[in-house]
Amino acid sequence: MYLEQLREPIVQAPLAGGASTPALSAAVSDAGGLGCLAAGYKTVHALADDIRALRALTEAPFAVNVFVPSDASADGGAALDAYATRLRVEAERYGVELGEPRQDDDHFEGKLALVAAERVAIVSFTFGCPAAPIVSWLHGAGCEVWVTVTTPDEAAQAADVGVDVLVVQGFEAGGHRGYFSDDPDPDELGLLAALRLIAARVQVPLVAAGAIADGAAVAAVLCAGAAAAQIGTALMLTPEAGTPHAYREALASSEPTRLTRAFTGRPARGIVNRFLATHGAHAPAAYPGVHHMTAPLRAAAREAGDAGAINLWAGQAHSLAIAAPAREIVTRLGAEAREASARLAQRLTPPR
C-alpha cells in the first residue's frame, strides 16, 4: 500500500485542466507526498508524454487520475440549445465560436490501456466507480486503484468492487464534485461528516479531500480517520503549477466560492466571477457537452488574462494558499500537522 510509504501524509489532487504538470507531481512525490497527473481532457498521446516527462524528473511513485465516462443520456436537449443561444454574446465578446457540445468518454479505454502498460503505481478514478473486472485487471498490471467518493453509499459500492483506497471528497472541495451520478438533489456532506460516516460503513483506507490548506487541517482529517490529506488549491500558487496569472490573482483574493454548472454542465466549486454569476442559474446538467461548448470562451479569457470568464476552481479555503515551491508546501504541511497533533495530545492529557 503506497499510503504507508509516504514520508508526509500529503496527496496531490489531480487538478485537471492545466494546473497539473509533471514538474508539480514530481516535486510533491520527491517531498515525501504522492504526486498525481491529471488524465482528464488530455489525449492518450499527451498523457503518455506527461508520464514520460514525470519519470524523467523522479523515480518516486505517482498516481494518474482518470475520469469515468458520464451518462450519455445527459445531453441537455433543448436546455443545452437555449444555453448555447445565451452564450453567443460571450462568444462575440471574445471573438470566438462556441465549441461543439459533443458527448465523449475522454478516451477512457485508451487511457486505461496506457496506465496498465506503463504499470503506473496508482490509478485513481473520479466521476464514478470502475467495474470490478477493470479493478481486477489493473491489479493484475501492478496498479493500486483509488476512487473518489462523496457519500457512504458510493463508498460501499467502491469497496464492493475491491478498490484499495477511497478519496473522500467533502462539500468544501474545489473543482468538480465527484458524484457517481449527477442527481439534481445530491446528498451533500461536509468533509468531517463524510469521513466519519464512511469510516463507519467500510473498512478501506481513506484520503480526505476538501479545503485542506494548512497543517492544522491536515491533522484534523488524520484525527477523523483519514490516512492522508489530498490538497489541490493549496498547490496552485506554486511555481510548478500551470496556473495562469489571472487565476493566481483570484486565488489570492478573499472572494467567495460557489457550486456551479456554468462552465462544464457538472457541479464544480469555483471562485465567483462574472461568468459564474451571470450564467450559473441557466446552465443545464449536460456534462461534457457544456464543457466542450465553453472551452473556446475559457481559452480566450485565459489568453486575454481575463479572470471574468475563467473557471476558477477553488476550495472554500483558497485564501490560505501561499506562493511557494511545492516541496516547501508539502514539508510545511507535514511539520504543521505534527505540531498541531502534539498540541492536541497535550490538550487531551488529563490533569494530574
Side-chain angles (χ1 to χ4, degrees), residues 4 12 40-41 48 60 70 82 104 107 121 158 169-170 213 218 228 236-237 245 276 290 328 330 346 349-350:
E4 298 171 352
Q12 176 208 331
Y41 310 129
S70 60
D104 64 42
H107 313 288
Q169 184 193 53
V218 173
M236 292 184 68
L237 294 181
H245 179 71
L276 188 158
V290 174
E328 180 179 322
V330 172
Q346 184 176 24
T349 301

Side-chain angles (χ1 to χ4, degrees), residues 54-308:
L54 178 50
R55 283 184 165 152
L57 294 171
T58 183
E59 296 181 355
F62 59 88
V64 171
N65 178 258
V66 179
F67 290 166
V68 176
S70 60
D71 183 356
S73 65
D75 59 11
L80 186 58
D81 293 337
Y83 196 51
T85 298
R86 180 181 181 84
L87 293 186
R88 289 200 178 100
V89 65
E90 297 285 353
E92 294 174 2
R93 176 193 291 263
Y94 293 104
V96 297
E97 296 291 330
L98 294 176
E100 179 66 27
R102 66 186 185 277
Q103 290 290 125
D104 64 42
D105 66 357
D106 199 40
H107 313 288
F108 183 66
E109 292 186 359
K111 288 173 181 177
L112 290 186
L114 174 65
V115 295
E118 292 286 344
R119 300 184 70 83
V120 169
I122 295 161
V123 183
S124 68
F125 292 89
T126 302
F127 299 162
C129 184
I134 292 177
V135 175
S136 296
W137 175 61
L138 288 172
H139 283 162
C143 309
E144 284 188 13
V145 178
W146 296 16
V147 171
T148 300
V149 299
T150 64
T151 67
D153 285 346
E154 291 177 349
Q157 182 180 336
D160 285 346
V161 299
V163 304
D164 301 286
V165 172
L166 300 176
V167 179
V168 179
Q169 184 193 53
F171 180 70
E172 308 93 332
H176 283 104
R177 300 293 288 138
Y179 314 129
F180 286 10
S181 176
D182 187 8
D183 296 327
D185 187 24
D187 183 14
E188 296 287 16
L189 294 173
L191 180 55
L192 185 59
L195 281 171
R196 298 312 303 145
L197 290 169
I198 289 171
R201 182 80 173 268
V202 301
Q203 300 299 309
V204 179
L206 308 179
V207 170
I212 301 169
D214 59 20
V218 173
V221 298
L222 297 181
C223 286
Q230 179 172 282
I231 61 172
T233 307
L235 289 167
M236 292 184 68
L237 294 181
T238 64
E240 296 92 346
T243 315
H245 179 71
Y247 198 159
R248 290 174 184 265
E249 290 186 332
L251 287 168
S253 75
S254 59
E255 292 298 315
T257 64
R258 186 185 305 167
L259 287 178
T260 184
R261 297 181 187 271
F263 297 98
T264 68
R266 186 180 180 97
R269 182 173 296 282
I271 298 170
V272 177
N273 61 2
R274 180 189 61 78
F275 193 96
L276 188 158
T278 303
H279 303 294
H282 306 278
Y287 178 89
V290 174
H291 161 74
H292 292 304
M293 187 167 65
T294 65
L297 300 177
R298 292 178 280 130
R302 286 192 295 271
E303 181 68 23
D306 179 6

